Amino acid sequence: MSAEGYEQELQSERAYVAGLYTRLDGERARVKGEYEAALGENGGTPMERDVRVRALGREVRRLDVVDNGLCFGRLDALDADVSYIGRIGLFDEEDEYRPVLLDWRAPAARPFYTATGANPENVRRRRQFHTRGRRVIEFTDEVLGRPASGEHSDADADDAALLAAVNAPRGEGMRDIVATIQAEQDEIIRLDHPGVLVIEGGPGTGKTVVALHRVAYLLYTQRERMERHGALVVGPNPAFLNHIGRVLPSLGETDVVFTTTGGFVPGLHVTAEDGPEAARLKGELKILDVLAAAIADRQRTPEEPVPITVGDVTVRIDAETAQWAVEEARASGLPHNEARDVFTEIVTYVLTERAINRIGRGWLGRDDREERDDLKRTLVKDLAGNPRFVAAVDELWPILTPQGLLASLYESPERLRAAGADAALLREDGEAWTVSDVPLLDELVDLLGRDKAADARAEQAAERERRTQAAYAANVLDSLIEREDLNDDVGLLAKDLLYAEDLADRFTERDTRDLVERAAADRDWTYRHVVVDEAQELSEMDWRVLMRRCPGRSFTVVGDLAQRRSAAGATSWASMLERYVSDRWVYRSLTVNYRTPAEIMSVAAAVLAGFAPGIRPPESVRANGVQPWSRPVTEAELPAAVEEFAREEAGREGTSVVIGPADVPGAVPAAETKGLEFDSVLVVDPDRILDDGPRGAAELYVALTRATQRLGVLHRGPLPVALTGLTELAAPATAGRQP
């Protein structure tokens, strides 16, 4: 169209989008008003009030996070119908709820991502907006059907929007791709599969952001099924979770819990790291036998009979009695702490029978059943309160906690041997928890079961608190009734409160925590859908934890087997998944690299060929003309070279990182950058990264593929053969400098 026509269209689009923001602001004000009113409501039951408060709270958050890029496109159908596409749906309540903005996940919005010239899907024109804040800056059109009079078909418009997005400087976190989803990505996002979906792709293929958009899509299309339990996203480290944390809120979804595999035990702090052998041993399912044996080792029989005085006679817990009790308790199938009741019951039975035989030998007749039963009850009660008996039971069948059992196992060579465990698990501080300990502790929660005595104490404390509140409420009620100057309203209130507990409910603090807060604090919470990123690193034991968190087995699994670092990680997806979901899992791959320029990817591909020759690297969607470089430095020159890199990058827009061994100033390990991306990357001492264990080559591959624009390499030792394709600089290192 002409420049004048374009300007007129631009002004029209600006006016329409401004109207959408006006509608959004009005909706926000309305919902916030209802939310604040709900917080002060007293009608209905406490549960009903809490449900309403939480529902309105979710809606407030949803409307608060979609401000940026609210509307990013428009579809013109062949029948002249026009639809605007955005992050959420908005409707005209005065016009029979006519949609004025289509949610990108709605079926009617799908052609925005999938329509092509060969298959226009009833779309005549696709328009994409470039916005800044609330203002439309410009737009591009792609005519898919036959151009109308005055229209020009720009076949490159779609590519232009994509390239603009991938070339833009990176900010502090991952951005959503809602405006530039590609057809192969959209197919995966909307895939209708109730089981496990595995998305594999090399660096930069967008597998993580596709998985997040898939969660947003499921939350939209299956709202009723998912909203009470939410979704879980599991990432490799806190930095990664922080990096991706804005994507789902930007799409209007907040009922999602983010955690690492180290976060599955609420309140546990991971402070140490296992060596490769210990991590491998803890990650294998064989460790279940060790845990079972460690528990059995604490279920003991006495070396010498334990004398117990009851009813003025002394009876003994001998090895034979204890062994019978142990066998019966184990045969019950109950968890250890709950089976203690069976153990105690058997020992109590034997001791009371022995005591009755001795006490009643001279005066109990064969037919004195009633007196015998009375004596039995007395002896049982005496035993339950006998300190010596209680101490003996504690010694033979102790109440165990997951942390206490596992810590004592790690600290004792004798207990490790008794449990059939490898000596590699021995450590000085048993409570120096590692990520590999978490699935074991989680397993022990189920193997050990509840501590009924502790639960009873907690319940008693809660009941005492409730009685205190009820007593306070009763006093308030009495004072209202006794007052002589009651007005009609207060008197009516007093008469309506028939029970003090009704008034106590009004003084009970409501649980207004949102789903994320409640789920994160509850070890037994289950989710409707789980996303697992960097899934190739998860062990067999990690997968047991995840399957417990999602009984419906609805997963999106994201990973790249070529990037596996952990010795306990996956060598194939089937080996990890088939025992849980059999044939209920499907595989999809992403093959286009949207992050890494072709110049950098060619270098990384040489490293990949060295350790995984059968894997084809993803094809970069772009080249940027900036050649990656390398430069040898001495020990003395290294700090200045790293400082120069940091100084020059500080003057550029975007992000940067130094990746290298721990002794390199300001460097982070390659493992901590997994899933992250930076405009500029400086890799230091690649030879040492290669030599760091059997998966060193995979670590170097990860390091090289974090860059979206510029890559430099400093090396004190010999440059690895796989990196000889880098342009060598003799001058001081400068990221992106051309030789």
Side-chain angles (χ1 to χ4, degrees):
M1 65 183 70
S2 65
E4 181 180 355
Y6 179 88
E7 186 61 29
Q8 290 176 349
E9 280 283 296
L10 180 60
Q11 293 302 325
S12 175
E13 299 294 26
R14 284 174 175 170
Y16 190 89
V17 172
L20 293 176
Y21 277 109
T22 299
R23 193 178 297 274
L24 175 66
D25 291 339
E27 187 72 1
R28 281 175 172 168
R30 180 187 66 80
V31 174
K32 285 182 179 178
E34 291 183 5
Y35 176 70
E36 291 169 359
L39 287 174
E41 284 180 358
N42 287 321
T45 67
M47 179 177 293
E48 290 171 342
R49 295 195 299 268
D50 289 346
V51 168
R52 176 167 169 76
V53 167
R54 291 192 182 111
L56 287 169
R58 283 196 301 270
E59 186 66 5
V60 168
R61 291 189 297 275
R62 185 181 77 91
L63 294 173
D64 277 346
V65 296
V66 297
D67 203 274
N68 187 38
L70 172 65
C71 176
F72 50 79
R74 164 180 151 176
L75 286 176
D76 294 5
L78 292 174
D79 60 5
D81 187 36
V82 174
S83 301
Y84 286 82
I85 315 299
R87 296 179 179 278
I88 62 171
L90 293 175
F91 303 89
D92 186 345
E93 297 180 7
E94 298 179 358
D95 188 8
E96 299 181 346
Y97 283 87
R98 177 180 60 86
V100 294
L101 183 66
L102 278 179
D103 191 298
W104 66 275
R105 296 162 289 191
R110 184 169 189 178
F112 186 78
Y113 303 109
T114 59
T116 64
N119 183 24
E121 301 187 37
N122 198 42
V123 174
R124 179 175 60 84
R125 179 174 61 186
R126 173 168 46 212
R127 174 168 290 178
Q128 293 181 300
F129 298 139
H130 175 207
T131 61
R132 184 176 298 126
R134 292 188 165 200
R135 182 178 174 82
V136 177
I137 303 302
E138 61 183 2
F139 65 80
T140 57
D141 282 347
E142 182 183 5
V143 178
L144 302 176
R146 178 176 298 176
S149 176
E151 285 185 332
H152 173 67
S153 179
D154 184 358
D156 295 327
D158 192 40
D159 289 342
L162 173 63
L163 291 175
V166 298
N167 279 316
R170 266 46 186 175
E172 295 182 358
M174 177 180 284
R175 296 169 298 192
D176 63 67
I177 59 170
V178 65
T180 57
I181 293 172
Q182 301 301 291
E184 72 166 357
Q185 297 171 330
D186 185 80
E187 180 184 355
I188 293 173
I189 290 169
R190 299 175 192 262
L191 184 66
D192 183 16
H193 180 71
V196 177
L197 167 63
V198 175
I199 307 173
E200 184 162 27
T205 53
K207 53 188 179 294
T208 296
V209 74
V210 166
L212 295 175
H213 283 67
R214 175 168 169 78
V215 173
Y217 176 76
L218 293 174
L219 287 167
Y220 175 80
T221 57
Q222 303 178 23
R223 182 76 63 189
E224 185 175 348
R225 186 180 75 88
M226 295 186 66
E227 67 179 355
R228 292 186 60 187
H229 290 261
L232 174 68
V233 175
V234 182
N237 54 59
F240 174 83
L241 296 180
N242 184 60
H243 178 65
I244 69 172
R246 299 178 183 178
V247 173
L248 284 167
S250 75
L251 300 173
E253 300 298 346
T254 56
D255 286 345
V256 181
V257 176
F258 292 84
T259 188
T260 66
T261 53
F264 285 124
V265 178
L268 185 77
H269 297 289
V270 172
T271 60
E273 184 175 352
D274 279 316
E277 181 61 11
R280 182 187 66 80
L281 292 169
K282 293 178 183 180
E284 294 178 342
L285 292 179
K286 296 176 184 177
I287 199 70
L288 293 172
D289 294 333
V290 172
L291 297 180
I295 295 172
D297 184 50
R298 304 297 291 272
Q299 301 164 351
R300 303 176 51 247
T301 59
E303 296 181 1
E304 298 291 336
V306 180
I308 306 292
T309 299
V310 57
D312 297 328
V313 299
T314 298
V315 290
R316 289 173 173 77
I317 305 175
D318 52 32
E320 182 180 7
T321 298
Q323 184 61 38
W324 178 30
V326 166
E327 291 173 358
E328 289 294 321
R330 290 175 179 173
S332 71
L334 295 170
H336 169 86
N337 291 334
E338 297 171 28
R340 172 184 162 109
D341 287 347
V342 178
F343 177 87
T344 305
E345 181 181 350
I346 296 297
V347 175
T348 298
Y349 169 79
V350 172
L351 295 189
T352 54
E353 286 296 312
R354 289 174 179 173
I356 288 172
N357 289 338
R358 295 183 58 184
I359 293 172
R361 186 174 298 165
W363 56 274
L364 276 178
R366 182 171 297 178
D367 297 328
D368 296 334
R369 174 60 59 185
E370 185 174 344
E371 290 188 22
R372 181 183 177 88
D373 290 345
D374 288 342
L375 178 58
K376 178 84 169 180
R377 284 190 290 269
T378 299
L379 293 177
V380 168
K381 184 176 180 180
D382 289 347
L383 266 185
N386 186 306
R388 179 62 174 153
F389 177 75
V390 172
V393 172
D394 285 342
E395 178 68 21
L396 300 176
W397 196 287
I399 292 291
L400 298 174
T401 65
Q403 287 92 334
L405 176 68
L406 203 58
S408 63
L409 177 68
Y410 289 152
E411 292 174 346
S412 170
E414 294 79 14
R415 282 181 171 161
L416 285 172
R417 282 195 296 270
D422 194 288
L425 300 184
L426 182 67
R427 68 189 188 207
E428 184 175 350
D429 183 359
E431 294 187 345
W433 303 116
T434 70
V435 170
S436 302
D437 291 327
V438 172
L440 278 62
L441 292 168
D442 190 72
E443 191 77 34
L444 285 169
V445 171
D446 289 340
L447 292 176
L448 296 178
R450 311 287 299 183
D451 179 353
K452 290 186 176 180
D455 288 348
R457 290 192 296 271
E459 181 62 29
Q460 290 168 0
E463 180 61 24
R464 285 195 298 270
E465 177 63 21
R466 178 165 179 80
R467 288 178 180 176
T468 300
Q469 291 180 347
Y472 172 73
N475 290 334
V476 173
L477 183 62
D478 290 342
S479 67
L480 288 173
I481 294 175
E482 292 173 1
R483 284 178 54 189
E484 296 180 357
D485 58 344
L486 288 178
N487 59 41
D488 292 341
D489 291 338
V490 176
L492 182 61
L493 170 65
K495 293 175 183 177
D496 285 344
L497 298 177
L498 300 179
Y499 301 99
E501 287 82 356
D502 292 336
L503 188 57
D505 282 341
R506 298 175 182 266
F507 293 90
T508 302
E509 183 179 354
R510 295 185 190 174
D511 183 3
T512 57
R513 294 177 302 167
D514 60 24
L515 181 145
V516 171
E517 294 172 310
R518 289 180 290 125
D522 186 354
R523 181 262 173 187
D524 295 322
W525 191 277
T526 57
Y527 299 89
R528 286 291 184 258
H529 190 77
V530 176
V531 173
V532 187
D533 210 324
E534 299 294 341
Q536 72 277 356
E537 305 296 345
L538 270 60
S539 69
E540 293 175 327
M541 288 297 294
D542 289 327
W543 280 108
R544 282 180 64 87
V545 176
L546 289 171
M547 293 297 169
R548 275 195 288 271
R549 299 301 189 276
C550 188
R553 304 291 194 261
S554 178
F555 284 79
T556 299
V557 176
V558 181
D560 181 9
L561 295 177
Q563 296 186 56
R564 178 177 63 86
R565 176 178 182 264
S566 172
T571 55
S572 75
W573 301 117
S575 65
M576 289 296 184
L577 297 174
E578 287 188 347
R579 66 169 52 89
Y580 301 109
V581 291
S582 183
D583 58 350
R584 286 186 60 234
W585 69 281
V586 296
Y587 175 90
R588 295 291 186 272
S589 64
L590 293 170
T591 59
V592 178
N593 188 333
Y594 300 99
R595 174 204 301 149
T596 317
E599 293 87 349
I600 296 176
M601 198 61 216
S602 65
V603 176
V607 175
L608 178 66
F611 73 93
I615 296 180
R616 183 178 179 180
E619 183 176 351
S620 295
V621 75
R622 67 191 170 103
N624 67 354
V626 179
Q627 296 299 321
W629 53 266
S630 67
R631 178 185 173 223
V633 292
T634 65
E635 190 79 25
E637 292 171 334
L638 178 61
V642 173
E643 184 179 344
E644 181 182 359
F645 167 82
R647 185 171 56 252
E648 292 212 0
E649 287 303 320
R652 288 189 171 104
E653 187 179 5
T655 59
S656 62
V657 69
V658 178
I659 301 176
D663 63 344
V664 176
V668 299
E672 293 185 11
T673 66
K674 275 198 165 186
L676 307 183
E677 56 184 29
F678 305 88
D679 291 87
S680 189
V681 172
L682 181 67
V683 177
V684 181
D685 289 344
D687 55 320
R688 293 176 60 189
I689 297 176
L690 274 175
D691 293 339
D692 186 19
R695 301 297 299 174
E699 293 285 270
L700 181 57
Y701 181 60
V702 169
L704 296 173
T705 54
R706 298 307 94 194
T708 67
Q709 302 291 345
R710 302 173 293 278
L711 171 67
V713 174
L714 298 176
H715 56 102
R716 287 178 282 187
L719 187 68
V721 174
L723 300 184
T724 54
L726 291 167
T727 299
E728 185 168 337
L729 296 182
T734 301
R737 172 177 291 176
Q738 298 300 303

